[in-house]
Amino acid sequence: MFTSFVKYVLPVLQIILFRDFYDKTGYRCLLITVFQWMVLHDICISFQMYPLIKTLRGTLLVGCSLRQACHRICFQQCRSYTSRNILKLSERGIWADRFPDSNTNKLIEELSKQPQTVYSGFDPTADSLHIGNLLVIMALLHCQRAGHSVIALVGGATAQVGDPSGRSSERPELSKAEVETNVKKISENLHRVFENHKQIFWNRGDEEPLPPLRIENNLHWYKRLDVVDFLRITGRNLRMGDMLSRTSVQSRLNTAEGLSFTEFSYQALQAYDWLYLHNKFNCTLQIGGSDQMGNIHTGYQLISRVNKTSVTGLTVPLITNESGDKFGKSAGNPVWLDSNKTSPFDFYQFFVRAKDSEVEKYILLLTFIPVQDVKKIMEQHWSNPEKRHAQKILAEKVTLLVHGRKFSNDKMFSRRWFSICTTYN
């Protein structure tokens, strides 16, 4: 009888006990032969086991349900170091503005209820990103840490047009070969930073895997779109008055050089990018620099008219020095994310030289150190400012994020400085 129990009952008993659990979680149930069922039925009747099995099965299924429920609660409460409600990042100073203001409550509800899809665009007008792009990347990383899906859009098409935002003159025209090379390089920049974040700054590993980064190139859909379809979808739903009112347009119309039609049409292309991502990935959030609000607004209008739904644009402040000058290639003082253009040592030294009046702002914007720990760092810093304690932490964190652990093997860096990385994450 014991042999029969082991041979026929045990393989089937797990199915009876956990059938609902297997079905709900998608595990493949074992195939049970008719003979096994007959033997099991006879044994259960002989030993009056059905009441016991029913009770045990109910108890185990309740236990499984409770475990799943606890896991969901834990995921919602402790999903990551960033709240699902990414608007709370305002305590770090990450958000400069959002549009529209009227849907804030709806946005908070949607962010808290389920993962959203967020995108930011990076035009490959050079063969590397620079620290002026870093805050947008940080915003995407915070969204990823909060469990949202993130898309980095590399503008293989829009780079050939040129964004007039923040420009006093038209961008130099790039060849298709140059743009193709830049797309590859910038994609490598993005992959490296996100991978460094995963390996160094995300301590939850396989327990809470990060949503994967998706990199898209808008040249892929513009190659398949003819000009008539573009005008039919985009031109019909955009208004000249709104487009002419954009700051990027107004600031150029009254200059001697003026504004080319190519540059003027850029906002329509960026709007269509968002529409495309909204249709394909349900992308409801766009993040950009504060100089992108006009373009984001145009995208909002296009999606509202075409898809009859509301989306949200968020902007981050431009990274500037104490005098208000922004960092970037347009400003003539770029610090590149590519180690072949700016060495890890020079990159590190740039942040070590940050002024005392700016370092707290930079730590909040460019690291994942909790706000309460930043306050402690600054207290220690102000007790002896000449040691540049805060600047060293800032430089270490940002250089690790951009260049990874390999740069710490450079003999120019002190091992003592890197010990801080295990203290603040």
Side-chain angles (χ1 to χ4, degrees):
M1 182 60 67
F2 178 76
T3 302
S4 298
F5 181 85
V6 172
K7 185 175 181 179
Y8 299 112
V9 178
L10 289 183
V12 183
L13 190 58
Q14 60 179 332
I15 303 298
I16 298 177
L17 294 174
F18 296 104
R19 185 181 64 235
D20 292 347
F21 179 70
Y22 280 116
D23 292 343
K24 290 178 181 178
T25 54
Y27 290 111
R28 183 180 298 176
C29 294
L30 299 175
L31 295 176
I32 308 300
T33 65
V34 175
F35 180 69
Q36 284 176 311
W37 278 111
M38 291 174 63
V39 172
L40 175 63
H41 177 69
D42 291 340
I43 293 175
C44 289
I45 291 178
S46 301
F47 290 92
Q48 297 181 346
M49 292 176 62
Y50 275 124
L52 176 61
I53 290 174
K54 184 177 180 181
T55 301
L56 181 59
R57 178 175 179 271
T59 302
L60 289 173
L61 286 175
V62 169
C64 291
S65 299
L66 286 174
R67 183 180 181 276
Q68 289 175 314
C70 289
H71 178 74
R72 286 195 299 270
I73 292 171
C74 181
F75 180 84
Q76 292 171 359
Q77 292 181 345
C78 309
R79 170 61 183 81
S80 67
Y81 306 116
T82 301
S83 167
R84 272 189 181 274
N85 177 13
I86 56 174
L87 296 184
K88 291 183 178 180
L89 290 169
S90 58
E91 69 177 357
R92 304 185 72 95
I94 285 183
W95 304 129
D97 201 0
R98 67 176 179 270
F99 181 87
D101 291 329
S102 58
N103 72 342
T104 300
N105 292 334
K106 179 185 176 184
L107 175 61
I108 292 174
E109 180 182 352
E110 291 174 348
L111 288 169
S112 304
K113 183 171 58 177
Q114 61 185 6
Q116 302 295 306
T117 301
V118 187
Y119 106 91
S120 292
F122 304 88
D123 273 352
T125 53
D127 57 359
S128 173
L129 297 174
H130 51 80
I131 62 169
N133 303 118
L134 200 52
L135 187 50
V136 173
I137 296 174
M138 287 296 298
L140 286 180
L141 286 168
H142 276 293
C143 291
Q144 186 187 50
R145 292 163 73 91
H148 302 297
S149 299
V150 293
I151 300 173
L153 175 62
V154 181
T158 43
Q160 299 179 50
V161 174
D163 184 3
S165 301
R167 300 279 304 186
S168 59
S169 61
E170 190 165 9
R171 295 176 185 273
E173 184 177 358
L174 298 174
S175 69
K176 292 183 179 180
E178 287 177 306
V179 172
E180 186 176 344
T181 299
N182 293 348
V183 166
K184 182 179 178 181
K185 293 285 189 179
I186 286 178
S187 298
E188 290 173 355
N189 289 170
L190 291 165
H191 273 299
R192 186 182 70 250
V193 173
F194 274 78
E195 187 62 24
N196 287 341
H197 165 260
K198 178 182 175 181
Q199 297 297 330
I200 300 172
F201 296 98
W202 185 250
N203 294 333
R204 304 197 175 200
D206 296 334
E207 180 185 349
E208 291 186 32
L210 290 164
L213 167 69
R214 177 183 292 275
I215 296 181
E216 295 285 335
N217 182 351
N218 59 13
L219 184 61
H220 294 161
W221 52 84
Y222 283 116
K223 288 170 62 175
R224 302 190 299 267
L225 182 67
D226 64 51
V227 65
V228 175
D229 283 339
F230 176 77
L231 290 174
R232 177 179 57 82
I233 297 169
T234 306
R236 184 183 296 274
N237 292 286
L238 297 179
R239 296 295 176 263
M240 287 295 297
D242 292 331
M243 296 177 72
L244 286 167
S245 68
R246 306 294 181 230
T247 302
S248 60
V249 174
Q250 286 293 318
S251 63
R252 292 280 300 281
L253 285 177
N254 298 322
T255 63
E257 183 173 339
L259 182 74
S260 70
F261 175 76
T262 303
E263 292 178 293
F264 177 71
S265 65
Y266 183 92
Q267 58 181 300
L269 294 172
Q270 184 169 327
Y272 184 84
D273 286 342
W274 196 0
L275 176 66
Y276 179 90
L277 296 175
H278 184 266
N279 291 337
K280 187 171 183 178
F281 303 109
N282 193 30
C283 180
T284 57
L285 289 160
Q286 181 181 173
I287 297 174
S290 57
D291 58 350
Q292 291 293 308
M293 180 52 82
N295 295 341
I296 291 173
H297 193 173
T298 303
Y300 167 85
Q301 291 178 325
L302 181 62
I303 293 172
S304 298
R305 288 171 180 152
V306 175
N307 289 348
K308 312 298 182 185
T309 189
S310 181
V311 291
T312 302
L314 295 166
T315 62
V316 299
L318 298 177
I319 300 181
T320 60
N321 58 23
E322 194 175 40
S323 60
D325 297 325
K326 73 175 186 177
F327 299 119
K329 61 182 185 295
S330 298
N333 56 346
V335 177
W336 303 99
L337 304 193
D338 190 323
S339 60
N340 294 319
K341 295 173 74 70
T342 299
S343 72
F345 178 74
D346 290 336
F347 188 91
Y348 178 93
Q349 287 298 318
F350 173 83
F351 289 101
V352 167
R353 292 193 299 267
K355 294 182 178 180
D356 290 338
S357 58
E358 299 173 324
V359 65
E360 182 176 6
K361 175 184 73 174
Y362 290 158
I363 291 176
L364 288 170
L365 292 176
L366 301 177
T367 77
F368 303 102
I369 299 173
V371 175
Q372 60 271 22
D373 289 340
V374 175
K375 294 178 181 178
K376 295 176 183 178
I377 291 171
M378 293 310 299
E379 288 175 2
Q380 184 174 349
H381 171 81
W382 288 119
S383 67
N384 203 345
E386 59 273 14
K387 288 188 175 181
R388 308 189 77 77
H389 173 70
Q391 283 90 340
K392 290 175 183 178
I393 291 177
L394 168 68
E396 289 153 7
K397 291 300 181 184
V398 181
T399 310
L400 276 172
L401 178 66
V402 172
H403 294 291
R405 294 191 190 278
K406 64 178 182 179
F407 95 97
S408 64
N409 296 325
D410 194 317
K411 293 180 180 179
M412 289 184 288
F413 296 98
S414 168
R415 292 182 180 179
R416 181 180 62 82
W417 291 350
F418 289 93
S419 66
I420 301 176
C421 296
T422 61
T423 305
Y424 301 105
N425 195 39

